[in-house]
Amino acid sequence: MVQGTVNWNTEITQEWLQSYVDDWVKFYKKQTRDGEVASYIPELNKANPNHLGISIVGNNGVTIKSGDVDIPFTIQSISKVFCFIIACMERGVSYVLDRVDVEPTGEAFNSIMHLEMRKLKKPFNPFVNAGAITVSSMLNGKTSDEKLEPLFILLEKMLGYRPALNINVYESERDTSIRNRAIGYYLLELDYLESDMNITLETYFKQCSIEITVDDLATIGRVFANDGIDPNSGVEIIPRKIVRLAKALMLTCGMYDASGKFAAYVGIPAKSGVSGGIIAVAPPRVRDEELPFIDGCGIGVYGPSLDDKGNSIAGIKLLRHIATKWDLSVF
Amino acid sequence: MVQGTVNWNTEITQEWLQSYVDDWVKFYKKQTRDGEVASYIPELNKANPNHLGISIVGNNGVTIKSGDVDIPFTIQSISKVFCFIIACMERGVSYVLDRVDVEPTGEAFNSIMHLEMRKLKKPFNPFVNAGAITVSSMLNGKTSDEKLEPLFILLEKMLGYRPALNINVYESERDTSIRNRAIGYYLLELDYLESDMNITLETYFKQCSIEITVDDLATIGRVFANDGIDPNSGVEIIPRKIVRLAKALMLTCGMYDASGKFAAYVGIPAKSGVSGGIIAVAPPRVRDEELPFIDGCGIGVYGPSLDDKGNSIAGIKLLRHIATKWDLSVF
Amino acid sequence: MVQGTVNWNTEITQEWLQSYVDDWVKFYKKQTRDGEVASYIPELNKANPNHLGISIVGNNGVTIKSGDVDIPFTIQSISKVFCFIIACMERGVSYVLDRVDVEPTGEAFNSIMHLEMRKLKKPFNPFVNAGAITVSSMLNGKTSDEKLEPLFILLEKMLGYRPALNINVYESERDTSIRNRAIGYYLLELDYLESDMNITLETYFKQCSIEITVDDLATIGRVFANDGIDPNSGVEIIPRKIVRLAKALMLTCGMYDASGKFAAYVGIPAKSGVSGGIIAVAPPRVRDEELPFIDGCGIGVYGPSLDDKGNSIAGIKLLRHIATKWDLSVF
Amino acid sequence: MVQGTVNWNTEITQEWLQSYVDDWVKFYKKQTRDGEVASYIPELNKANPNHLGISIVGNNGVTIKSGDVDIPFTIQSISKVFCFIIACMERGVSYVLDRVDVEPTGEAFNSIMHLEMRKLKKPFNPFVNAGAITVSSMLNGKTSDEKLEPLFILLEKMLGYRPALNINVYESERDTSIRNRAIGYYLLELDYLESDMNITLETYFKQCSIEITVDDLATIGRVFANDGIDPNSGVEIIPRKIVRLAKALMLTCGMYDASGKFAAYVGIPAKSGVSGGIIAVAPPRVRDEELPFIDGCGIGVYGPSLDDKGNSIAGIKLLRHIATKWDLSVF
C-alpha cells in the first residue's frame, strides 16, 4: 500500500471534501438540540451542548477537519480501548481474555446484573465498566501513575506530545462516580481484580480524564487503520494482533448498547465516551477508486450532546452520513 | 475490481492452496470428537459427527474444497440470514427494523427472557429465534410455501438450481421443536407476529429444512462478498444496502452467544446452524498482494459435531485458522 | 372449640355486624372506579366493574353478607389452591413438592423468565401459572374431565351442590389465553409436565372456569379455617397437613406479586383470581373475646375491578379494613 | 388471656417437655455435619459447627432450654427485624414502607440484580441486605452509635440487660463485607439512602455484631408473640401494629430464599442470621388444650452449621420438628 499519495479522481479535490464536510457538520449541528450533555459527572456537564467537530486523517495524506475542532475534551470510555491494548501488550492476549470475555451484552455499560447472573464467570467484555475496571486492575505498576505511564508513552508515540490529565474532571469523577465504586466492590468480592480496588478505580478515573482533541483521536484512529503501524515512520507501535482484536471489539461492543445499530448502519469500528467523543477507524478497502478514503483513515468526533445510550447524538449521525456516502464500511 | 483473475504470487499455486487446506481439514477433523451432534431435533442427530468439509469460492476464480464436501445438510439458522434479506427486499429495511432490533443479546438463541424484560419492546435481533420467527411472519404470502417462494427463487438465482426441502428434517423439526412453539405463542401474545402463528412456525421450520452443500454456501457467500452482485453476470441480485446490513448482523450476532469471540478471533461475517453448517464471507480487502483471497471469497463449512454454543466445533477452528493465516479479517 | 355458638359481647349483635359491613361495602364500592376489569380474556371483560360483594361465614354460626353477593363468577386462579390440594391428596405432598417449589418469586404470575433462569429447576410455586399448570398435569385421569372430577366431588362435599363450568368463559379462555400456551410449551420442553400438554391446558382452562359465588368461597374458606374438617358434620374432607400447606402458600404467594403486602397489611391466607374473586381464611385465634370472629371464619369477596397486580381493587381494601378492625390476622 | 398459668394436661409436665426437647436436640445435632459454618466473615468462621441449642419461653411461664444454650453469638441478619421496628417507631410505618417494599423476592439476600431491574423502584423488603441497609440509613442520629442507641434501649427493656457489641466480629465484618459495600454504593447512586453511606454501613455492621444468647432470642420472641407487650409488666414496649408487621415480614421474607419453604413446613414467623441464630415466634392459638404452648411462646435457636441458603441446618430441622409436633403453626 503506497502511503501518502492522493489517488482519487481529480474532480474530488481536498477543497471539495472540505466544503462537503463543512456542509454536513453545519446540518447535523442542529441535531445537538435533541440530546443532553452528560450530567452524572458534574464537570462534564459544563460542556457546550452545541459543539460538534470532526477530524479525518487519511492514509492518503489528506486531513479534513470541520466544526468545533479545537475544544479539548476527556476521553472517558474511549480509554477502555487504549487500556485494553496496554494490558494485552503487558500481559499477553490470552492472559487478558482469560479474565474478560469479548461478548456483547445487550445491557447498559454500567450494568452489574450480568455479573450476578454469572453466565460467563467473567465480565462480558472490556468495554462495559465491569470489564474495563478489571482490565485496569491488570495493568502493571503499583500506583495509578505507574499503571498509566505506558499508556501515556503510547499516546505520545502516536500524537507527538504527551496529553495531560484534566484534574478537575478526574476529581469530579473520583468523587461522584458512585456506580463505579459499586462495581469495584462487586468485582472485588468476585475476586476478579488483580490490583488493590482503590488503586484500580483511581487508575480508571484517571484514564477517563485524559484530555485530547478530535485531531488526536483521528491520528490514533489512523494508526489503528494501519494495524498498529505509525504511518509516518513505518514502525509498528501496537502489535497487529492486538490492534485487530481491539477493532473487532470496537465493532461489536464499542457504542454501548447501540453497538449493534452502529455496526449495522455505519459499519466501522468505533468507541464513544460520555464526554461526547468518538474515535472511529476505517481500514483500507478495495472499492471504487473515486472514493476519497479507500486507503483507510482515522476519524475523531466531538459532540457532547448525547442520546439516551450515551453516544454523541449528532456525532453518530454525522459519522453515519459520511461513512455511508464515502463507503467506509468494512462489510 | 477485476474479477476472475488470479493475481497472487506465482509460488502460491492452486495446488499449494489445496494441499494446505487438505492438511488442516485433516488436522481439525480430530477436534470433532470434542463436540456433539445436535440432539434436540431427532433427524439432525443422525448426522455423522466425524464429518468436516469446507469449500472456498474466490472472486479470483479459484475454488478450493476439501473434506466431506458432498454431504447435503439442512441450513437451519443460516436461513435466518436469507429470510431477513427477503423480508427487507419485500417490506423495506425500515419496516423490518421497526419490528426487529439489531442488537446482540449475550443470551442464548432460544431465550425468551429478554422478551419478558422488554428492554427493547421488540426482539433483540433477527438471528435469535424470537427475531427470526418475527421476520418469517413478515414475509409476503398466505401459506408457508408462498412465503418461502421468493427465497427459493433467490437461492436458485445464486446457485443455478432450486434446492429442495428435506421433508424428514422438516417433519422432525415441526413435531419436536417445542421451545419454538413457546416462543411463537409468546410473540403472538406480544402482538409481534404479522401472520398467523402456525403458518409462521411452519414457514420457520421449512426454511430451516432447506438442504444444501458447502459449495452452495460458498457460492452464496461469494455473492455476499460482492455486495449482492452475481460475480458471473454482474447483475445485482440483492440490493447492496441489504446485503451490507446482513453482513453487519452476521458479524455481531451470527454465531449465537459466541458471536463476540468469532468477531474477535476470526473477524469475518458468518452465520452458523445447528446442523453444523457455517456460511462465511470475506469481503475484498487491501492487503499484502501475496495473500490468496484478497479479492474476497465465500466460504461454506460443514461439521455437525457442535460446541456448547451450537456452532460446529471443528468448523470454527478451521475457519479461524484459515482466516488468520490468509488474513481474511475485515478489520 | 365449641362450634355454632355466638360468644361475643352482647352489644355486638348480628344486626350491628351486618350494618357495619353494609356501610363499608358501600364506602369501598367507590374505589371500584380506580381499577379495571380484566381484559385479556374477552368473556371476563363483560363483568360489571361496579360490583362489590362479600360473604363471611363464621365458626360461631354467624353469616354476614353484603353488596353484590348473588353474581356468579368464575374462580380463575383461585382454582390453583383447589387443584394443588387435589394433587397432594392424589399423589402425596412430597411427590408434588418435588415437582413444584413453594417459594414466592417477586415476579408476575405469568412470568416465564424464572423458568429460563432456572435457579430452582422447577416452577417457583403452585400459584404462578407455570406452577399451576404443572400441578394440573399431575392430576390423575386421562382427560380433563377425569382430571377434574375429584375437584368437583370435593367442591360438592363442601358446598352441598356441584358447581358448573361456565362454558363461555372456558371457551374464551381456551381460545385467547396465549401466554399460557407459551408457558405450556416451555414446561413441555423442560419436561416438567406429567400429562399431555393440550390436555393439561384444557384442564387448566376448565378449572379456571368453574362458576361460584361469594357464599361458596366463604363456605370453602370456613373448611380451610377448620383445618379441612367440615364444620357441620365434623368429618375431615381435606387432610389437615394439606390444608395447612395450602394456607401457608396462600399467605406467601396467594395475591400475585402483592402477596407480601397482603400478608403485611391484612395478614390472613387468601387467594385471588382475575375475575375479581378472593377467598380468604381466618383461622381461630386467641384474642379479645369481644371480637366477632375469633373462632375463625371463611370469607368470599367479589369485585371485578382489578388493580395493576390483578387483585380486586376494592375487595382488597374491604378485606384489609375488616381484617384489621376485627383483628383476623394470624400474627 | 391469663398469663403465667400452666394450663395443659397434667401428664405433659415440664420434665416431660424438657426430656422431649433434649432427645430431639441430640437427634438433630448429627445433622450439623451436613452444613458449613459461614466463611465470608472470618470471625464467624471460628464457631464450633457441632453446636446446637434451643430455648423456648412460653406465655404459660414455662421455659425449656436444651443443648448449647450458653454460647453467645452475634445476631447478624436477625438485627434486620429489630432495626426495622426501630425505624417504624421513629419514622412511622408509612414513611418506612414508602422507601422499602414488603415483597419476597425469590433472590438471594445479597442480590443487587433486583435493584437494577427496578421493577419496584425500592428495595424488595427490609430483610434483604439492600432493604436492611436502607432501613439503617433511616434511623435517627448522626453517628452509628446514636442510630443504634434506641435499639440497645429496646433490647435492654426486653432482656433486662444491655447486650454488648462483639468488637472482633464488627471489625471483621466491617473489613471484609465487600458485597455490602457494593450494595451501599448502589443504593447511594439510586439515592435511596437517608444518611451518609459510610455511617449507614457502620451502623449495619454494628447492628449485626450485637451479641446475644438463645435465651435472649426466646425472650424477645415472647414479646413478639404478645404483640409487643412485656409479659411481665404488661407494658407495651413495641406498638402492636409494628410488631404485627414485623411478624408478617418474618413469615414471608425471614428465612432468606427458603422463606416459602419455612412458612410451608414450619408455619411461624422467624428470622435467621448467618451466625446460625434463629428467632421464632408462636403467637397464641386456639388449639387442642393438651398442647404445651397454645398460649404462645418465643423461641431462640443457635446452630452455626448452615445450609446452602444461609440458615442453621440443624436449627431449621429442630424447629420444624417441634413446631409440627406441638402445633405451633399460625395456619
Side-chain angles (χ1 to χ4, degrees), chain A residues 40 107-108 110-114 116-117 178-179 181-186 188-190 197, chain D residues 40 107-108 110-114 116-117 178-179 181-186 188-190 197:
Chain A
Y40 79 100
E107 297 300 327
N110 59 1
S111 178
I112 289 190
M113 207 166 83
H114 268 93
E116 185 167 329
M117 295 174 76
I178 304 165
R179 176 76 77 101
R181 290 201 183 270
I183 293 172
Y185 277 105
Y186 210 106
L188 180 61
E189 199 214 7
L190 295 175
M197 191 201 69
Chain D
Y40 78 99
E107 298 299 327
N110 59 1
S111 177
I112 288 190
M113 208 166 81
H114 268 92
E116 186 166 329
M117 295 173 77
I178 304 165
R179 176 77 76 99
R181 290 201 184 272
I183 293 172
Y185 276 105
Y186 210 107
L188 180 61
E189 199 214 7
L190 295 176
M197 191 202 67

Side-chain angles (χ1 to χ4, degrees), chain B residues 107 110-113 116-117 178-179 181-182 185-186 188-190, chain C residues 107 110-113 116-117 178-179 181-182 185-186 188-190:
Chain B
E107 297 300 326
N110 58 2
S111 177
I112 289 190
M113 209 165 82
E116 186 166 328
M117 294 173 76
I178 303 166
R179 177 76 76 101
R181 289 201 184 272
Y185 276 105
Y186 210 107
L188 179 61
E189 200 214 5
L190 294 175
Chain C
E107 297 300 326
N110 58 2
S111 177
I112 288 190
M113 208 166 81
E116 186 166 327
M117 295 174 77
I178 303 166
R179 176 75 76 101
R181 290 201 182 272
Y185 277 106
Y186 210 106
L188 180 60
E189 200 215 6
L190 294 175

Side-chain angles (χ1 to χ4, degrees), chain C residues 53-313:
Chain C
I54 189 168
S55 174
I56 307 171
V57 177
N59 274 328
N60 54 11
V62 172
T63 293
I64 308 288
K65 43 175 128 177
S66 183
D68 305 299
V69 294
D70 298 323
I71 317 293
F73 55 91
T74 53
I75 57 175
Q76 299 298 330
S77 287
I78 299 172
S79 70
K80 293 170 180 172
V81 183
F82 306 153
C83 283
F84 173 71
I85 287 172
I86 297 288
C88 288
M89 289 170 74
E90 288 180 354
R91 302 282 182 133
V93 168
S94 318
Y95 184 95
V96 174
L97 297 191
D98 279 354
R99 284 155 183 81
V100 184
D101 212 304
V102 292
E103 289 301 328
T105 76
E107 297 300 326
F109 65 96
N110 58 2
S111 177
I112 288 190
M113 208 166 81
H114 267 93
L115 292 177
E116 186 166 327
M117 295 174 77
R118 295 198 75 180
K119 207 188 146 214
L120 287 177
K121 315 282 179 201
K122 47 187 171 178
F124 261 60
N125 67 63
F127 297 169
V128 292
N129 290 15
I133 292 169
T134 302
V135 166
S136 299
S137 83
M138 288 184 222
L139 299 176
N140 287 333
K142 290 191 177 162
T143 65
S144 59
D145 288 337
E146 277 178 41
K147 279 172 170 296
L148 292 177
E149 186 57 25
L151 170 57
F152 279 103
I153 292 172
L154 180 71
L155 291 173
E156 189 167 6
K157 265 192 203 161
M158 295 191 277
L159 302 178
Y161 83 102
R162 184 182 170 106
L165 212 67
N166 182 320
I167 295 293
N168 290 335
V169 170
Y170 164 60
E171 288 177 349
S172 185
E173 202 134 355
R174 184 193 61 198
D175 297 344
T176 61
S177 193
I178 303 166
R179 176 75 76 101
N180 285 326
R181 290 201 182 272
I183 293 172
Y185 277 106
Y186 210 106
L187 293 169
L188 180 60
E189 200 215 6
L190 294 175
D191 207 19
Y192 287 178
L193 297 182
E194 310 256 308
S195 304
D196 172 81
M197 190 201 68
N198 284 314
I199 287 171
T200 298
L201 287 176
E202 199 177 289
T203 306
Y204 180 72
F205 296 138
K206 279 187 180 170
Q207 74 189 50
C208 288
S209 306
I210 294 172
E211 206 163 64
I212 218 166
T213 68
V214 287
D215 283 339
D216 295 334
L217 289 181
T219 301
I220 297 168
R222 189 188 176 198
V223 175
F224 282 31
N226 276 299
D227 281 344
I229 294 166
D230 179 343
N232 300 314
S233 66
V235 171
E236 185 188 86
I237 48 184
I238 309 169
R240 197 180 79 138
K241 185 185 174 185
I242 293 173
V243 84
R244 284 279 182 91
L245 181 56
K247 283 188 279 186
L249 276 163
M250 289 164 80
L251 195 85
T252 55
C253 319
M255 302 302 280
Y256 304 125
D257 39 335
S259 298
K261 277 178 274 296
F262 194 87
Y265 298 136
V266 189
I268 52 176
K271 181 77 203 81
S272 59
V274 286
S275 54
I278 303 175
I279 183 173
V281 179
R285 294 274 326 197
V286 173
R287 294 272 198 250
D288 178 346
E289 300 212 345
E290 293 194 9
L291 291 169
F293 290 103
I294 54 166
D295 286 342
C297 63
I299 306 177
V301 171
Y302 174 64
S305 182
L306 307 180
D307 62 23
D308 59 355
K309 304 293 184 186
N311 294 315
S312 174
I313 192 163

Side-chain angles (χ1 to χ4, degrees), chain D residues 49-214:
Chain D
N50 300 320
H51 279 161
L52 181 64
I54 189 168
S55 173
I56 307 171
V57 177
N59 274 328
N60 53 13
V62 173
T63 293
I64 308 288
K65 44 175 128 176
S66 184
D68 305 299
V69 294
D70 298 325
I71 318 293
F73 55 91
T74 54
I75 57 175
Q76 299 298 330
S77 287
I78 298 172
S79 70
K80 293 170 179 172
V81 183
F82 305 152
C83 283
F84 173 72
I85 286 171
I86 297 289
C88 287
M89 288 169 75
E90 288 181 353
R91 302 282 181 134
V93 169
S94 318
Y95 184 93
V96 175
L97 298 191
D98 279 354
R99 286 156 182 80
V100 184
D101 213 304
V102 292
E103 289 300 328
T105 76
E107 298 299 327
F109 64 96
N110 59 1
S111 177
I112 288 190
M113 208 166 81
H114 268 92
L115 292 177
E116 186 166 329
M117 295 173 77
R118 296 197 76 178
K119 206 187 146 215
L120 286 177
K121 316 280 180 203
K122 47 185 169 180
F124 262 60
N125 66 64
F127 296 170
V128 293
N129 290 14
I133 293 168
T134 303
V135 166
S136 299
S137 83
M138 288 183 223
L139 299 175
N140 286 334
K142 289 192 178 160
T143 65
S144 59
D145 288 335
E146 277 178 41
K147 281 172 168 296
L148 292 177
E149 187 56 25
L151 170 57
F152 279 102
I153 293 174
L154 179 70
L155 292 173
E156 189 167 7
K157 264 192 205 162
M158 295 191 276
L159 303 178
Y161 83 102
R162 184 183 170 105
L165 213 66
N166 182 320
I167 295 294
N168 291 334
V169 170
Y170 163 61
E171 288 177 350
S172 184
E173 202 135 355
R174 182 194 61 196
D175 297 344
T176 61
S177 194
I178 304 165
R179 176 77 76 99
N180 285 326
R181 290 201 184 272
I183 293 172
Y185 276 105
Y186 210 107
L187 293 168
L188 180 61
E189 199 214 7
L190 295 176
D191 207 18
Y192 286 179
L193 297 182
E194 310 257 308
S195 304
D196 172 81
M197 191 202 67
N198 285 314
I199 288 171
T200 299
L201 287 176
E202 199 178 288
T203 306
Y204 181 71
F205 296 139
K206 280 188 180 170
Q207 74 189 50
C208 288
S209 307
I210 295 171
E211 205 164 63
I212 217 165
T213 67
V214 287

Side-chain angles (χ1 to χ4, degrees), chain A residues 87-266:
Chain A
C88 288
M89 289 171 74
E90 288 181 354
R91 302 282 181 133
V93 168
S94 317
Y95 184 94
V96 175
L97 298 191
D98 279 354
R99 285 156 183 80
V100 185
D101 212 303
V102 292
E103 290 300 328
T105 75
E107 297 300 327
F109 65 97
N110 59 1
S111 178
I112 289 190
M113 207 166 83
H114 268 93
L115 293 177
E116 185 167 329
M117 295 174 76
R118 296 199 74 181
K119 206 186 145 212
L120 287 177
K121 316 279 180 203
K122 47 185 169 178
F124 262 62
N125 67 62
F127 297 170
V128 291
N129 290 14
I133 292 169
T134 302
V135 166
S136 299
S137 83
M138 289 184 222
L139 298 175
N140 287 333
K142 289 191 179 161
T143 64
S144 59
D145 288 336
E146 277 177 43
K147 281 173 168 294
L148 291 178
E149 187 57 25
L151 170 57
F152 279 102
I153 293 173
L154 180 71
L155 291 173
E156 188 166 8
K157 265 192 201 161
M158 295 191 277
L159 302 178
Y161 84 102
R162 183 183 171 104
L165 212 66
N166 182 320
I167 296 292
N168 291 334
V169 171
Y170 164 61
E171 289 176 351
S172 184
E173 202 133 357
R174 183 194 60 195
D175 298 342
T176 61
S177 196
I178 304 165
R179 176 76 77 101
N180 286 326
R181 290 201 183 270
I183 293 172
Y185 277 105
Y186 210 106
L187 294 169
L188 180 61
E189 199 214 7
L190 295 175
D191 206 20
Y192 287 179
L193 296 183
E194 312 256 310
S195 306
D196 172 82
M197 191 201 69
N198 285 314
I199 288 171
T200 298
L201 286 177
E202 198 178 288
T203 307
Y204 181 71
F205 295 139
K206 279 189 180 169
Q207 75 188 47
C208 287
S209 306
I210 294 171
E211 204 164 65
I212 218 167
T213 68
V214 288
D215 283 342
D216 295 333
L217 289 181
T219 302
I220 296 168
R222 190 188 176 198
V223 175
F224 282 30
N226 277 300
D227 280 346
I229 294 165
D230 179 342
N232 301 315
S233 66
V235 172
E236 184 186 87
I237 47 183
I238 309 169
R240 197 182 77 139
K241 185 184 175 187
I242 292 172
V243 84
R244 284 280 181 90
L245 181 55
K247 284 188 279 185
L249 275 164
M250 290 163 79
L251 196 84
T252 55
C253 318
M255 303 302 279
Y256 303 125
D257 40 335
S259 299
K261 278 177 273 294
F262 194 87
Y265 298 138
V266 189

